Amino acid sequence: MGGQPLFILSEDSQRTQGRDAQSSNIMAGKAVAESVRTTLGPRGMDKMLVDSSGDVVITNDGATILNEMDIEHPAAQMIVEVSESQEEEVGDGTTTAAVIAGNLLAEAEDLLEQDVHATTIVEGYHEAARIALEAVAEQVLEADVDDALLEQVAESSMTGKGTGGLTPAELAETVVEAIRHVESDDGVARDDVSVHTQVGASSSATELVPGIVIDEEPAHDEMPSEVEDASIAILDVELEVRTGEVDAEYTIDSIDQLNAALDAEEQELRGYAETIADSGVDVLFTTDDVDDRVAAYLAKEGVLTFADLGNKDARKIASATGASRVGALADLEAEDFGHADRIRTETFGGDDLAFVEGGAAAEAVTVFVRGGTAHVVSELERAIGDALDVVATALESGEVVPGAGATEIAIADEIRSAAAGIEGRKQLAVNAFADALDVVPRTLAGNTGQDPIDALVDLRAAHEAEGRAGLITQGEDVTIDDPVEYGVVDPADVKREAVESATEAATMIVRIDDVIAAE
Ligand code: ADP
Ligand code: MG
């Protein structure tokens, strides 16, 4: 064979191999995790993110931050996915998961430098993750998951978030009430709880609406603004003068003929309104246009009408009130009607909203979030969203664990005990996993201005002596004690998911030793 070099890649593609590839991937992953570290816990700081069009988001939420950041590096993107899957699966713990993943990578880097093979690290991490999941199960509290405990779960998830003028405790009550409302023998219908935001009042005006809220105004000023005990129809029909399929032109040669043509039109429109009124319906929603004259007739008949509804809102109303959607006016019958205890409309500084309360079919509820500015309202919406998720998660599984780093301390302790019995270099990887989990209590300490190492040492000692020890923040005070006594608790599933998704991403990144990028 001649000395001709063999090119299998195009000239423009870039290739990094071996330790270089590992290092740059690990560095990128670590950098992403590092970027959200300071937002963890009750004393976490907020970030202000400005996108290319100048829109500003101010948030403390890990998933939101990583989502808004324009991250390109593929390994970094995998850490973003950790927080995304955390958000999807359990709705909270997104910063925790990303920070753990970043530290698993940092520990792996050290091991690689000590010549521990990547596959040994991967095996060790998987082994440690298994031990961690068993340890989480051991941390589950014996206590019944009652309203008081659920409120603590909600409050713990909101501590440190921008909740406007409201305290997390005040919001927690609303959140638990909402989730209890959608609980049945089949579980928790989390999707039946919506959050609707409206800028303009102080956040203390935030309330639970026993139904749904949509951005709609009545089709006519003179329609009733409130209907009680309402039968409801949803139409997918245009209520305008019918235009023919073919363009017909006809010549009018007398004023009588013109009047007759106009009368026929009026007749047709009035006919629509009469058909609707005669059907006995009180409130009409239609996904199509309504001619102003039809709206005026309907107003005279006292039928509250909302026109041009979005498909999504139409579905929401159907599912909340039990109304079936009707595709032709002639088919409108009482058996298609839904029902609600009350429908009312209200104007908030130029925005018109319709409240459909006490729907017959579903148990839908809406947390109606108020706040002085759009930023306050958005962050409040995220905090409430997280709280709804954790309460639903905790209620469904019935499993709650101590927060404030106590569970992570306990898991790390279990892993270290188990590591002693593991042979070979894998033991190093298992221990490294425990060290990586320490990042949670260390970061909680660092974010409260404490020395992370001292705090970690004290926490471990307290854990050894008392069995349950977290770094609890209450107002200005930071104490090492049993978090359960202070009501700092998280759903067990949030910890499980964080361990699993962080392990998955870190091991995937560590295994890569060749990056081939097309131009
Ligand atoms: P994440 O995105 O991971 O949920 P958070 O900023 O919400 O990040 O912080 C969650 C962590 O804060 C959890 O470990 C939780 O136990 C802890 N935590 C919540 N309230 C307190 C508190 N009062 N004192 C100490 N830690 C708390
Ligand atoms: Mg949280």
Side-chain angles (χ1 to χ4, degrees):
M1 289 295 215
Q4 285 286 345
L6 177 67
F7 295 107
I8 59 164
L9 291 174
S10 92
E11 264 178 63
D12 294 330
S13 53
Q14 288 197 0
R15 185 167 190 181
T16 339
Q17 281 174 289
R19 283 288 287 124
D20 282 349
Q22 279 169 332
S23 287
S24 81
N25 280 341
I26 286 174
M27 221 143 65
K30 270 163 60 181
V32 171
E34 187 62 22
S35 70
V36 290
R37 202 177 47 87
T38 56
T39 68
L40 184 77
R43 289 283 180 79
M45 301 298 282
D46 295 349
K47 283 191 193 294
M48 179 190 263
L49 302 145
V50 187
D51 74 8
S52 51
S53 55
D55 286 340
V56 174
V57 176
I58 299 170
T59 184
N60 174 285
D61 184 66
T64 308
I65 295 166
L66 295 178
N67 214 341
E68 294 280 335
M69 281 164 63
D70 201 4
I71 288 167
E72 269 189 13
H73 194 288
Q77 190 58 42
M78 287 161 96
I79 304 298
V80 177
E81 281 163 20
V82 168
S83 86
E84 278 172 2
S85 78
Q86 184 80 20
E87 177 74 40
E88 248 164 57
E89 295 297 325
V90 287
D92 194 21
T94 57
T95 315
T96 304
V99 166
I100 292 176
N103 255 53
L104 286 173
L105 290 174
E107 295 289 337
E109 168 99 283
D110 289 348
L111 292 171
L112 287 169
E113 257 158 38
Q114 296 166 47
D115 271 342
V116 179
H117 196 273
T119 55
T120 310
I121 298 173
V122 169
E123 276 171 30
Y125 277 9
H126 281 308
E127 177 95 38
R130 265 195 302 279
I131 302 165
L133 294 181
E134 283 169 24
V136 171
E138 276 169 35
Q139 290 299 308
V140 172
L141 304 184
E142 301 276 344
D144 276 345
V145 181
D146 56 9
D147 281 5
L149 188 60
L150 289 173
E151 279 173 26
Q152 292 176 352
V153 169
E155 204 182 321
S156 299
S157 83
M158 289 186 287
T159 312
K161 303 272 182 282
T163 48
L166 284 167
T167 63
E170 287 168 311
L171 281 172
E173 221 172 292
T174 307
V175 165
V176 172
E177 200 185 327
I179 292 294
R180 282 293 193 193
H181 202 88
V182 298
E183 180 196 14
S184 70
D185 292 343
D186 301 334
V188 178
R190 166 68 180 89
D191 290 346
D192 282 347
V193 184
S194 316
V195 179
H196 195 99
T197 61
Q198 180 63 47
V199 178
S202 96
S203 50
S204 60
T206 296
E207 58 171 339
L208 190 64
V209 175
I212 57 174
V213 180
I214 54 171
D215 284 294
E216 286 297 334
E217 61 178 320
H220 195 278
D221 284 348
E222 271 147 44
M223 284 175 177
S225 62
E226 183 173 327
V227 180
E228 295 206 7
D229 198 10
S231 53
I232 293 156
I234 307 172
L235 277 179
D236 295 304
V237 182
E238 196 181 20
L239 299 175
E240 293 192 311
V241 178
R242 236 167 313 180
T243 41
E245 297 278 292
V246 275
D247 273 336
E249 239 177 70
Y250 56 100
T251 331
I252 293 171
D253 40 34
S254 78
I255 201 80
D256 284 352
Q257 266 182 349
L258 176 64
N259 281 338
L262 290 176
D263 275 353
E265 209 174 283
E266 287 290 329
Q267 215 60 60
E268 185 186 340
L269 294 176
R270 192 191 289 267
Y272 294 157
E274 274 166 8
T275 310
I276 290 162
D278 290 348
S279 75
V281 74
D282 303 315
V283 181
L284 173 73
F285 293 94
T286 159
T287 53
D288 216 321
D289 295 333
V290 174
D291 189 286
D292 288 345
R293 285 167 289 178
V294 177
Y297 288 133
L298 285 169
K300 219 171 264 162
E301 301 279 1
V303 180
L304 174 57
T305 306
F306 300 91
D308 255 334
L309 228 67
N311 207 19
K312 212 171 123 199
D313 283 341
R315 270 207 307 272
K316 258 168 92 172
I317 292 160
S319 105
T321 65
S324 319
R325 291 170 70 163
V326 175
L329 204 50
D331 298 340
L332 189 65
E333 287 176 355
E335 66 180 38
D336 298 317
F337 294 171
H339 190 271
D341 291 345
R342 181 162 79 138
I343 296 189
R344 62 186 171 92
T345 59
E346 212 178 317
T347 307
F348 297 88
D351 295 325
D352 297 291
L353 298 182
F355 295 75
V356 181
E357 299 174 353
E363 292 290 292
V365 288
T366 304
V367 183
F368 188 49
V369 177
R370 307 300 309 278
T373 73
H375 293 304
V376 169
V377 166
S378 311
E379 186 66 345
L380 200 49
E381 182 182 19
R382 280 188 287 271
I384 290 174
D386 279 5
L388 287 167
D389 288 339
V390 289
V391 170
T393 304
L395 188 56
E396 280 203 310
S397 74
E399 295 187 335
V400 170
V401 294
T407 294
E408 286 82 359
I409 290 281
I411 303 174
D413 187 49
E414 286 288 321
I415 294 175
R416 285 193 188 96
S417 312
I422 293 168
E423 306 260 301
R425 291 182 174 204
K426 200 162 98 181
Q427 188 193 84
L428 298 177
V430 174
N431 269 321
F433 194 100
D435 294 344
L437 285 175
D438 287 341
V439 71
V440 174
R442 269 198 286 131
T443 306
L444 287 174
N447 289 350
T448 57
Q450 301 220 325
D451 183 82
I453 304 296
D454 289 346
L456 188 61
V457 171
D458 292 347
L459 276 167
R460 279 191 192 156
H463 171 77
E464 201 61 44
E466 319 284 343
R468 207 151 56 194
L471 191 84
I472 301 122
T473 306
Q474 272 194 316
E476 294 300 307
D477 300 328
V478 182
T479 350
I480 290 183
D481 207 338
D482 178 357
V484 179
E485 281 172 22
Y486 297 76
V488 181
V489 284
D490 298 315
D493 285 338
V494 170
K495 305 294 178 195
R496 291 195 180 101
E497 184 65 29
V499 165
E500 285 180 332
S501 58
T503 307
E504 200 176 302
T507 53
M508 202 181 274
I509 292 172
V510 167
R511 251 196 307 245
I512 299 165
D513 80 334
D514 196 355
V515 179
I516 306 158
E519 220 260 320

